[in-house]
Every structure is written in structure tokens, then in C-alpha cells.
Amino acid sequence: MATLKIPTPLRSYTNGLAEVSVRGASIAEAMADLTQKFPALKPHLYSGDGELRPFVNLFVGENNIKDLQGLDTPLDENARVILIPSIAGGKEIKHEGHNGHEGRK
Amino acid sequence: MTLRLSKDVLSQIHLHGEQAYPEEGAGFLLGADEAERVVQAIFPLSNSREDAARHNRYLITPQDYLKAEMEADRLNLSLIGVFHSHPDHPNRPSEFDREWAQPFFSYIITSVQSGKAVESRSWRLIEDRSQFVEEKIHITSPVSP
């Protein structure tokens, strides 16, 4: 099984575990296994429409899955996946841009 | 909920906000979350947002997150929160703060008015992610070296 490293703020949902073994041949399957094992994690990883929240970054080894095949990135049995949040915020803006939507990195 | 930190740590947070002014400054809170939540050190970071957005947004990259986690491990501490400044703005979390917030973390927000840090307040996201609630900041006396 692949190993998935959990960041500090989410460890209260994995019984304090910093690393979790997950089944799956792809990142999508591994994440499904993770949230099946720890359902309370789901709202903090996925938005209401089922999309990964924008602050969720997943690395396979040192490579961000955004630079690989996204959620379809294949995993081998010994893969090491790291979940790292981007931390962001900022003060209230009275008038957003034309599309009223923040750029996301 | 109470967040304990020393006057010295709070001064470091305020100084970082003043040095970043008129942009937003941010970093991590390192400490322990046992019977009490105590901030023992900060890990200040540079703001990774593009130049034009740094006056009202901050971003800490995954790479910087890993650096902070390594520093916390080195000090035998944990990442327990994030601090950031709101230049010329109240120290209340914005909707954008809420959307991007992590559970568990304490979020210290410092209002920096005309370059001078005036007040910090701390907040935590509630479980259903719908809002922040304020946690009391308890300032402890300086510890002799």
C-alpha cells in the first residue's frame, strides 16, 4: 500500500496519525480510500461540489500531481504521497475583480 | 479556548507585520497543544503572492510549509497555527481567510495601522467550516534566559 503523509492540522481526523497507509492504483483511489477510512476529513479536503479544495496539494515523492497527471497520477505499491496545504488569506476586499473570483495558485 | 504566548513572541509577530507593511506579512506559530495551547516560537516567512496582491493577500507555499514543519520537528514542537497581518484593516478574519483556513490551527491576525501594529486577535475555524470563533490570547510574562 502507498503511504500518505498527513499535515498537522488534519491529524486530529486521523487519530493523530502522521502517516496513513492507503490502497489505490491512482491518487484519486488513494484519496477515496483515505476519506473512507477517515470520513471527517472529507469536508476539509473537498468542497461541496466534490472538487479538491484549492489549498490541497498532493506530491508523489517530490512531484506535485499538478505537474503529473493530476488525480489520475498512478501510484505503485511503495509510493509515498505527501498532502500539504497552501496557507493563504488576507483582508476583506470591498470590490473584487470583474469575475469576483480570486486567482488561485 | 485560550492561546498562550509570551510578550516577546507577540512583539516578534507585531514586528513582522510592521516590517511587511503596507503588504501583508505571515508565518507559522510553533508550540504545543496539550492541556493548553502555547506558542513557543514563530517561523516568519516572506509573502509568496505576486507583487500586486501582497497588500491584501498572503500565500505560504507548500515548500515553505515543509520548511516550517522541519523547523518545528528540529525544536521538538508542532505547527499549531498561522499569523498574518491586515494592513490598515481590522483584525477580523475575512471570507477569504475562512475559505482557505485549516481546521485545528490558531489564526492570529494583527491589525497594522499606518505601519504600526496595534492589536492582535486569535481565531479558530469551527468544525463545519462556516465561521471562525475567537479564542482568548493570554500574554505570559517574559521568561528569563
Side-chain angles (χ1 to χ4, degrees):
Chain A
M1 286 197 283
T3 302
L4 203 160
K5 188 173 182 195
I6 306 294
T8 310
L10 300 182
R11 288 179 194 165
S12 57
Y13 304 99
T14 58
N15 303 324
L17 294 172
E19 293 191 346
V20 175
S21 294
V22 284
R23 293 181 190 280
S26 67
I27 286 283
E29 290 179 14
M31 290 297 284
D33 191 46
L34 175 71
T35 53
Q36 189 172 16
K37 283 178 173 145
F38 304 105
L41 261 179
K42 199 167 184 178
H44 300 294
L45 298 176
Y46 294 90
S47 59
D49 57 9
E51 296 290 317
L52 271 182
R53 291 191 180 276
F55 53 71
V56 175
N57 298 284
L58 289 156
F59 288 74
V60 178
E62 295 184 351
N63 300 307
N64 192 324
I65 64 164
K66 290 171 186 165
D67 301 323
L68 300 172
Q69 296 167 54
L71 290 170
D72 295 328
T73 301
L75 294 178
D76 63 40
E77 276 290 299
N78 301 313
R80 183 170 168 74
V81 182
I82 309 177
L83 198 169
I84 310 173
S86 288
I87 306 292
K91 64 190 182 185
E92 209 71 65
I93 301 175
K94 289 280 194 296
H95 303 286
E96 297 282 356
H98 295 301
N99 59 6
H101 198 73
E102 276 290 324
R104 286 171 174 171
K105 288 189 169 182
Chain B
M1 295 186 299
T2 301
L3 182 68
R4 292 170 67 91
L5 72 167
S6 69
K7 199 170 180 178
D8 181 50
V9 167
L10 185 63
S11 296
Q12 291 174 44
I13 290 170
H14 284 185
L15 182 63
H16 189 64
E18 290 173 356
Q19 288 174 338
Y21 185 88
E23 297 176 351
E24 297 206 3
F28 283 101
L29 307 172
L30 279 53
D33 182 53
E34 294 164 352
E36 291 185 308
R37 180 170 286 198
V38 184
V39 182
Q40 287 163 293
I42 63 166
F43 191 76
L45 287 161
S46 55
N47 188 341
S48 292
R49 278 301 298 252
E50 65 275 21
D51 290 355
R54 286 202 293 258
H55 68 288
N56 59 19
R57 290 288 180 261
Y58 73 91
L59 173 70
I60 297 173
T61 63
Q63 290 74 20
D64 281 340
Y65 182 96
L66 285 179
K67 282 184 204 165
E69 198 167 70
M70 286 170 63
E71 177 67 2
D73 287 346
R74 190 183 72 78
L75 297 171
N76 202 23
L77 299 173
S78 298
L79 298 184
I80 58 170
V82 172
F83 66 91
H84 76 277
S85 58
H86 281 180
D88 297 317
H89 207 77
N91 45 14
R92 296 184 62 83
S94 66
E95 179 61 12
F96 189 73
D97 285 328
R98 186 190 64 77
E99 285 176 8
W100 283 71
Q102 300 301 308
F104 172 78
F105 271 175
S106 290
Y107 282 83
I108 292 181
I109 303 176
T110 301
S111 177
V112 181
Q113 301 287 339
S114 303
K116 179 75 182 163
V118 292
E119 187 196 38
S120 291
R121 295 166 78 180
S122 187
W123 309 83
R124 286 197 215 180
L125 185 68
I126 67 170
E127 185 53 37
D128 68 3
R129 304 189 59 86
S130 63
Q131 61 178 306
F132 279 97
V133 291
E134 186 168 10
E135 64 181 344
K136 188 178 176 198
I137 293 180
H138 182 88
I139 309 294
T140 56
S141 301
V143 178
S144 302

